[in-house]
Amino acid sequence: MNEDLPDARDGLTQPERVVLKVLHDVQRERQGRHVPTLMLYGRVVEIMDMSQHEFQVILNRLGVRAKG
């Protein structure tokens, strides 16, 4: 299965789904506080191989505001 193909149910690719899941988990862990972009990226690459550029493209596509 190609992880870059959008899922018919929600239009998300597997990497996008991973980013959103990790973001949700870290936000819950931090009790709703801001999640630094570098922290999020570090957690994401523990799960799947992803370049910084690909990560930024995904954040932009999802409308996530990235700060530091």
Side-chain angles (χ1 to χ4, degrees), residues 2-68:
N2 187 341
E3 65 185 26
D4 293 328
L5 291 176
D7 188 292
R9 295 169 291 184
D10 57 16
L12 296 174
T13 63
Q14 184 63 25
E16 291 168 342
R17 193 171 281 105
V18 168
V19 170
L20 285 176
K21 173 68 170 126
V22 172
L23 176 60
H24 173 77
D25 292 347
V26 177
Q27 282 177 326
R28 190 174 54 220
E29 181 182 302
R30 293 176 51 87
Q31 300 174 344
R33 293 190 327 253
H34 170 75
V35 177
T37 305
L38 291 175
M39 176 186 282
L40 179 60
Y41 179 66
R43 299 279 182 98
V44 167
V45 296
E46 288 177 354
I47 297 171
M48 76 180 327
D49 186 35
M50 182 180 300
S51 71
Q52 290 178 355
H53 176 74
E54 181 182 7
F55 177 71
Q56 286 297 327
V57 168
I58 289 171
L59 290 182
N60 289 337
R61 182 174 185 276
L62 296 174
V64 176
R65 290 185 301 156
K67 296 181 183 176

